[in-house]
Amino acid sequence: MKKEELTIRNYVKDSESKRVFEEVFDSTAIESVHELATKGFIDGIEHVVSTGKEAHVFRGIDKAGNNVAVKIYKIEASDFNTMSKYIEGDIRFKNVRKNKRDLVYAWTRKEFRNLSLMNRIGVRVPVPIAFKNNVLAMEFLGENGKKYPLLKEKPPEDSAKFHKEIVAFMAKTLFKGEIIHADLSEYNILNTGDGFVVIDVGQAVLTSHPMAKEFFERDVRNIASFLNKIGEKTGFEELYEEIKQRKGKV
Ligand SMILES: Nc1ncnc2c1ncn2[C@@H]1O[C@H](COP(=O)(O)OP(=O)(O)OP(=O)(O)O)[C@@H](O)[C@H]1O
Ligand SMILES: [Mg+2]
């Protein structure tokens, strides 16, 4: 298919998706999706999965008919100053603070890199597929085309098991990946029914980032408070200690 022939209709099949799609679908986003399509990563965009402040997430399919999650970051609505905080100081991303568009493109690349790193060290996050500009394609997490619920919507059935697993996740990312999620909470973890998958890793920073400690402590605080909500008695100090205990064992 030639780019000139590309219309939103080629990619979107229902009117709600079309409306949401149009919000993020400027000419470069069209080119980006088109490029991912010509490379065979995406064959069509089927439904809106989530509409957010910073990004919209769609369910797409690839040529083989497999589901693919397609996250398209908004350019204009992005928060330049907040995003800068998580990019400046990350040694992988020097000199990107030019304008909103460059920053959002760098952010998308950063999410892809973070997903790759986390997959490599063996923690469960979506498998990254490809990215172009502000469009990121990754493994779709769901069943029969329906995404898994967030832990916020469906808390873990076995809270003790979750407690153990989230400690393992946090220790492994910290000590083996030397990376910190920096927005870890029940809003960014999906419940698969027999476990969980952490998502939304664009803001994750390396431990060499000057604010790494602050971000990590916030993650610990969020998770400690969620664990208490689901009946696992713990606190910031206690959970922090549990994670530290695993140093050298990840
Ligand atoms: N790989 C995926 N598979 C299935 N659903 C996903 C996937 N990635 C994200 N989602 C869904 O899309 C929602 C938003 O994704 P994510 O948390 O990555 O974006 P966000 O940056 O929080 O967006 P915003 O802050 O603008 O809402 C998630 O809560 C989840 O429901
Ligand atoms: Mg999120």
Side-chain angles (χ1 to χ4, degrees):
M1 186 200 306
K2 290 204 198 76
K3 199 147 50 207
E4 307 78 69
E5 292 165 10
L6 176 67
T7 64
I8 288 164
R9 202 176 294 266
N10 292 118
Y11 286 105
V12 178
K13 289 174 184 157
D14 71 78
S15 61
E16 170 60 9
S17 302
K18 190 165 185 286
R19 187 188 64 73
V20 175
F21 203 69
E22 276 168 354
E23 237 195 298
V24 286
F25 219 51
D26 61 8
S27 60
T28 51
I30 291 176
E31 283 196 34
S32 307
V33 171
H34 185 260
E35 189 169 325
L36 294 175
T38 49
K39 288 186 173 161
F41 297 119
I42 308 174
D43 197 47
I45 286 176
E46 304 266 304
H47 288 289
V48 174
V49 172
S50 157
T51 57
K53 226 164 44 293
E54 277 127 35
H56 291 333
V57 177
F58 301 87
R59 181 176 65 80
I61 44 164
D62 65 13
K63 276 224 151 50
N66 301 312
N67 290 320
V68 178
V70 181
K71 186 171 183 178
I72 306 185
Y73 279 100
K74 298 183 188 179
I75 309 282
E76 279 318 310
S78 62
D79 182 342
F80 190 84
N81 291 331
T82 304
M83 284 176 131
S84 297
K85 206 165 82 177
Y86 293 84
I87 288 206
E88 283 179 358
D90 192 311
I91 51 168
R92 300 170 299 174
F93 297 89
K94 293 250 188 255
N95 307 321
V96 290
R97 198 180 200 271
K98 291 182 195 116
N99 54 51
K100 266 191 178 175
R101 187 168 285 275
D102 290 341
L103 190 68
V104 172
Y105 288 2
W107 186 270
T108 310
R109 191 156 50 90
K110 184 163 174 265
E111 177 150 26
F112 185 89
R113 294 269 302 262
N114 289 342
L115 287 173
S116 306
L117 169 58
M118 289 177 175
N119 266 284
R120 213 160 48 234
I121 61 164
V123 293
R124 189 73 176 99
V125 296
V127 177
I129 297 172
F131 72 95
K132 181 72 193 175
N133 298 330
N134 57 330
V135 181
L136 170 67
M138 63 186 142
E139 174 191 7
F140 178 82
L141 299 161
E143 245 168 5
N144 307 319
K146 204 170 171 290
K147 74 153 191 95
Y148 292 127
L150 296 172
L151 284 191
K152 173 69 193 165
E153 298 154 350
K154 188 172 185 278
E157 294 72 21
D158 186 339
S159 47
K161 177 169 172 269
F162 173 73
H163 185 158
K164 253 208 206 132
E165 290 174 355
I166 197 72
V167 166
F169 174 91
M170 294 177 83
K172 208 164 188 174
T173 46
L174 179 64
F175 298 125
K176 193 168 177 190
E178 298 185 334
I179 187 164
I180 285 150
H181 186 285
D183 193 16
L184 196 61
S185 76
E186 62 270 37
Y187 292 91
N188 279 329
I189 307 177
L190 300 178
N191 187 342
T192 66
D194 59 3
F196 68 87
V197 190
V198 172
I199 59 164
D200 204 3
V201 305
Q203 70 293 319
V205 298
L206 299 181
T207 49
S208 53
H209 188 287
M211 290 173 78
K213 188 165 191 288
E214 189 180 312
F215 293 153
F216 183 70
E217 289 180 359
R218 189 178 57 196
D219 283 354
V220 175
R221 213 165 282 121
N222 286 342
I223 294 299
S225 122
F226 179 64
L227 284 170
N228 277 299
K229 276 186 210 144
I230 61 172
E232 284 293 295
K233 289 252 162 308
T234 186
F236 170 75
E237 303 285 346
E238 217 175 308
L239 186 61
Y240 202 103
E241 196 48 44
E242 255 188 279
I243 297 164
K244 277 206 311 214
Q245 290 298 324
R246 295 183 70 103
K247 190 171 184 176
K249 298 180 195 146
V250 294

